[in-house]
Amino acid sequence: MTLDPKVPEGPIEQKWDKHRFNLKLVNPANKRKFEILVVGTGLAGSSAAASLAELGYNVKVFCIQDSPRRAHSIAAQGGINAAKNYPNDGDSIWRLFYDTVKGGDFRSREANVYRLAQVSNNIIDQCVAQGVPFAREYGGTLSNRSFGGAQVSRTFYARGQTGQQLLLGAYQALMRQVGRGQVQMFPRRELLELVVVDGAARGIVCRNLITGKTESYAGHAVLLCTGGYGNVFYLSTNAMASNVSATWRAHKKGAFFANPCYTQIHPTCIPVSGDYQSKLTLMSESLRNDGRVWVPKKKGDTRAPRQIPEEERDYYLERKYPSFGNLVPRDVASRNAKQMTDEGRGVGETGLSVYLDFSDAIKRLGEEKIKEKYGNLFDMYHHITSENPYQVPMRIYPAVHYTMGGLWVDYNLMTTIPGLFCLGEANFSDHGANRLGASALMQGLSDGYFVAPYTLGGYLASAKLGAVQSGHPAFREAERAVEERIKTLLAVKGKKTAVEFHRDLGRLLWDDCGMARNAKGLKEALAKIPAMREEFWKNVDVTGSGEELNMTLERAGRVADYLEFSELMVRDALHREESCGGHFREEYQTADGEAKRDDEKFSYVAAWEFKGVGQDAQLHKEPLAFENVHLAQRSYA
Amino acid sequence: MNEKKKLNLTLKIWRQKGPGDAGRFVECKAENISPDASFLEMLDVVNEGLVKRGEEAIAFDSDCREGICGMCSLVINGKPHGPELGTATCQLHMRTFQDGDTITVEPFRAKAFPPVKDLVVDRSAFDRIVAAGGFVSVNTGNPQDANSILIGHAVAEKAMDAAACIGCGACVAACPNASAMLFVAAKVSHLALLPQGQPERMRRVAQMRAQMDAEGFGNCSNEYACEAACPKEISVRAIARLNREYLKASLCSEE
Amino acid sequence: MKHSCKFLHSSIGKKFTVGAAGVLLCLFLVFHLSGNMLLFVGESQFNAFANTLDTNPLIPAAEIILAAIFFAHVVVSLWLRWQNKQARPVGYADYRAKGGRTAGSRTMTWTALLVLAFLIIHVKAFRFGGRDGGMYHLVLSSLSNPYMAGFYLLALAGLALHLSHGVQSAFQTFGLNHPKYMPAVKALGWAFALIICGGFAVIPIWALIKGGL
């Protein structure tokens, strides 16, 4: 099988327009004959489902939460990028495109990124028309702020709740279609199998989380909008229900998984305080504008921070990167924090954090000014840790935040299974090896509002799809597989809970496949994961029954998938013998400790084909050509 | 750093097999709880213990655990989302409690939020209210440039205050009458304040009100328990606006 | 007709009805109290006023309207109350909701029942009772009974409590809530309750003192 990204010919500025013209259209009267299944209701899923229903398709929408409004897009804080150039500071579609390709460390597909930049402006217009309450200037125009990785102010925001407001906009558009009867909503459903008939995705089998019943739904195409897999690390900033199962099941049915080793670690999160901890909370990286990062010079220094004199502190970012100081990019800041704690110089009860100190800024600007700038963040920190950051330095530590990897998709956002589309964070995305701040919301909405509605039409108009009902033998078979698996999970009756397995797996991945990776650690992980998986199926403890709401069972199913998926993630990290963006291999760094890419050998998308559990996945390469943005090495020293 | 004192607590928790079951309070112990844990993390620890003993875990809803998705609920010691103001259950920390405390944990109770299991209830009534009119009818396409709709800073902020609603249902749970007025008022206010919401202003409030009533929520008695329980501290002034909007729609609309 | 029915059937419409009827009843209280104050002007003036009311042919019509308003206030409130009960079939074991709940708001139903009981006695005695010695004499003789006076005072305290929530609540129901004015409205609610009920309360106290002498 060869990978065809189906990128249209021609100059990059014209590719999307030309492609839209070339895509076949579905006659308005025929649209109602198509059933589209959309799984997931984050920004990508809600926006796609609403847009498709507006066009006249019959849409069935599935989500894991009790309401589509709760998808994890809702937690995005900072903002959404667009190339509007409202502040007149020199932004353009080309600049947004350039920044995104460069920020992604040259591991994304140029044509996709250009299209993303192109539609970014429509997204803002669309959201404003829906009534999204973006921040405004006194004159009534939209406000912008700046964000990492860009020298222009192109980020639109609604306080610290931009994701919430954008999602509610899409959710409202979706609910309008539910009210019209054009969308049927199925909440509290978890996709457990993708159904492929005659080589095309024709339906899904899911578990009704309330009744425990296995349900089958047939359609002409399936859109997976199920988010990222950050929770494979156990602790991340993701929501409890975020998981890899939907994309992993699709992968097992033939969809290639691309670049699973690209994970983003955010440097400013509230550190872990104990074993009971279920998730990590992110704080805006804008804090690094005024906070100074430091650790004690001496190992195992347990004095209170204020007791440590100035000359015994190591402001390591300022020391190592004099020109960027505390404002180095996310990946650099994260890696250095890890290095300090690895050296035994971490602080706090667990030794797994570093100080972010505002005392100088408070001295310089006054407490009032700091309160005005960061008041809500300081309050949040105080609330969670019960430490007052105006008096003692904050403690921060990096946390898994976003995953750039995902199902491989072509220019039409279709996976290697015809009829199976993948949108938003779930696909391998436009962010390459590293995502810039405020770009995730942009990509989710771009895919959902402005890309999939066209490309799906193109697929439906040209594919010859016969009638398939949910009574088809392929559905029966998938249902049996689902029920069998649930029965097996309940029958083990072992001694160790799924949460414990998950925690162990997370710790292993964090240590060996986290912020910094090396061949030795990765090989060790690769040896341990299958053993862990084997133990899981022998010793997992799941109580309750399969015929009711059973969150223990749900968790166990997801952990089982992580135990398979993580092997692929580690394998991908091991094979990519270079450092790029969120993937940092210790063996491949420059003299000053920066990520060193190997464009000769690794300028490609690694798309993996499933060959069976425990079998080596087969690697397929989609070469990446950079015709418009020239390859360059990053340096921040 | 000195070791923080761990908490030992008694929980009086509502357990209910399913909608048909009558439900009852069950006492269980939460031992060795870190004061830094969140309330839901405390329940996680309790659940791990239950599963280890071969018992069924307590079902409760949660997702983002950072106070924005609105999935978590619970009435803790008689207050939705617990004793702290402007805080969702997931952001409530155990240091709020004392060692040896007995904590009562109940589900949100309302006819329009039928029980599912243990502490989980069905809040889909809120989705149906939004589907009835809580939107601006604009299809995806090429709307006018975003800056061609001017919205003053103060109006945008006011609309944002209302739009901050996370749809958790604490207002209903706290209301002595299980009324959903604050939820409906927040959405009506958000869209009535903005120019984009004007064309459907009357229709929206009429339809959302009708759906709210059809769901079986109670009536507002202006006691503002909703405002006090709201994790986003949405003001009851939104309810006054809803009343005003509805009165105006009833008087002026020709529909 | 269809439109107004829909409005009056709606949750908000019913609240509006209760509020509007309540405001009208408050206006009646003002009128009633001003008439009562004639007690302190003199016996003949008060009796003449009572006589005017008794003989004015418009008064029965006004009374029917007043009764209708009162009836609407009571029936719609009961309807709302019944619906509110329905809205939470299983109650909380522990319920400590905070917010703007006041003694007045919590006891609306109980103070309403108290006022209703009072009205039955009051209307029976003063509207349908005999007027032999003149209205002045009737007031003095019935309210100088310490039990009766005590009951009147109790009912007035209940009414004050009822109004303390009712008046400001009506403003909210009519959609009149503004951060600048709401504190004043709340104060006004209390002031109105205290002035009206205090004004009425003077009468049984006066009767007790005067009758006892």
Side-chain angles (χ1 to χ4, degrees), chain B residues 2 53 79 98 119 130 134 137 167 174 196 202 236:
Chain B
N2 48 351
R53 287 202 298 276
K79 288 173 181 173
Q98 305 291 321
L119 302 168
V130 174
S137 293
Q196 300 93 310
M202 292 197 210
V236 291

Side-chain angles (χ1 to χ4, degrees), chain A residues 64-67 69-71 188 209 241 551, chain B residues 40 60-65 67-74 81 88 90 108 119-121 123 166-168:
Chain A
I64 203 164
Q65 296 89 352
D66 69 332
S67 160
R69 67 180 291 154
R70 310 214 197 276
R188 292 208 198 254
L209 298 180
M551 291 166 177
Chain B
L40 297 179
F60 64 89
D61 269 328
S62 87
D63 200 24
C64 78
R65 299 212 173 178
I68 193 74
C69 77
M71 184 105 175
C72 63
S73 55
L74 309 187
H81 292 307
C90 63
F108 283 1
L119 302 168
V120 177
V121 298
R123 288 168 284 183
I166 59 174
C168 63

Side-chain angles (χ1 to χ4, degrees), chain B residues 2-218:
Chain B
N2 48 351
E3 187 69 16
K4 285 173 190 154
K5 195 178 177 321
K6 296 279 164 78
L7 305 173
N8 290 304
L9 307 155
T10 306
L11 303 177
K12 240 179 86 186
I13 284 198
W14 183 261
R15 308 266 345 222
Q16 184 171 0
K17 273 303 270 176
D21 182 34
R24 70 212 179 281
F25 281 99
V26 172
E27 263 201 17
C28 64
K29 299 278 178 212
E31 281 158 348
N32 241 349
I33 302 298
S34 161
D36 287 329
S38 73
F39 197 85
L40 297 179
E41 286 167 345
M42 180 274 292
L43 287 181
D44 288 341
V45 172
V46 170
N47 271 344
E48 279 289 284
L50 288 173
V51 173
K52 285 248 171 218
R53 287 202 298 276
E55 291 171 44
E56 247 188 89
I58 302 153
F60 64 89
D61 269 328
S62 87
D63 200 24
C64 78
R65 299 212 173 178
E66 49 186 279
I68 193 74
C69 77
M71 184 105 175
C72 63
S73 55
L74 309 187
V75 173
I76 301 161
N77 281 344
K79 288 173 181 173
H81 292 307
E84 281 200 27
L85 287 177
T87 305
T89 297
C90 63
Q91 300 246 281
L92 175 68
H93 286 83
M94 294 312 293
R95 63 181 84 93
T96 317
F97 300 92
Q98 305 291 321
D99 188 35
D101 276 359
T102 298
I103 306 173
T104 311
V105 190
E106 292 179 78
F108 283 1
R109 296 193 194 275
K111 182 177 147 205
F113 289 170
V116 173
K117 187 182 174 182
D118 295 342
L119 302 168
V120 177
V121 298
D122 177 358
R123 288 168 284 183
S124 54
F126 275 8
D127 289 328
R128 291 188 290 274
I129 293 174
V130 174
F135 45 75
V136 173
S137 293
V138 52
N139 283 0
T140 306
N142 284 295
Q144 61 203 317
D145 182 81
N147 258 350
S148 63
I149 306 171
L150 294 178
I151 302 167
H153 178 77
V155 174
E157 290 298 303
K158 220 169 168 181
M160 182 61 211
D161 285 339
C165 169
I166 59 174
C168 63
C171 45
V172 174
C175 176
N177 317 317
S179 162
M181 286 285 274
L182 191 60
F183 169 77
V184 176
K187 190 45 63 197
V188 166
S189 295
H190 160 209
L191 295 175
L193 281 160
L194 295 175
Q196 300 93 310
Q198 298 314 307
E200 295 166 284
R201 190 170 172 176
M202 292 197 210
R203 195 183 145 85
R204 174 181 311 115
V205 68
Q207 294 184 338
M208 289 183 78
R209 193 285 307 159
Q211 189 62 37
M212 170 181 82
D213 288 358
E215 295 289 348
F217 290 105

Side-chain angles (χ1 to χ4, degrees), chain A residues 13 27 94 190 220 237 245 308 336 419 442 446 553 601 623:
Chain A
E13 300 91 331
N27 170 317
W94 192 271
E190 180 164 20
H220 296 89
T237 64
S245 290
I308 302 178
N336 276 282
M442 172 172 70
S446 153
L553 175 66
K601 276 162 72 187

Side-chain angles (χ1 to χ4, degrees), chain C residues 53-138:
Chain C
L53 291 184
D54 276 342
T55 53
N56 191 330
L58 289 178
I59 287 296
E63 279 175 335
I64 290 170
I65 294 171
L66 178 64
I69 293 170
F70 184 77
F71 190 71
H73 188 73
V74 172
V75 168
V76 180
S77 295
L78 287 174
W79 187 1
L80 286 167
R81 171 101 185 132
W82 178 78
Q83 281 188 324
N84 292 346
K85 272 261 170 246
Q86 301 288 307
R88 180 166 291 138
V90 181
Y92 290 108
D94 189 5
Y95 177 73
R96 297 183 220 167
K98 306 153 280 194
R101 295 200 92 193
T102 58
S105 77
R106 258 177 235 269
T107 52
M108 284 307 263
T109 312
W110 305 113
T111 50
L113 285 176
L114 181 63
V115 171
L116 189 67
F118 162 78
L119 280 179
I120 292 167
I121 292 166
H122 179 67
V123 168
K124 188 160 169 273
F126 289 94
R127 175 65 184 87
F128 299 108
R131 302 243 198 300
D132 291 346
M135 191 56 107
Y136 186 87
H137 179 73
L138 182 64

Side-chain angles (χ1 to χ4, degrees), chain C residues 196-208:
Chain C
I196 293 289
C197 297
F200 280 116
V202 168
I203 298 165
I205 294 170
W206 165 79
L208 269 179

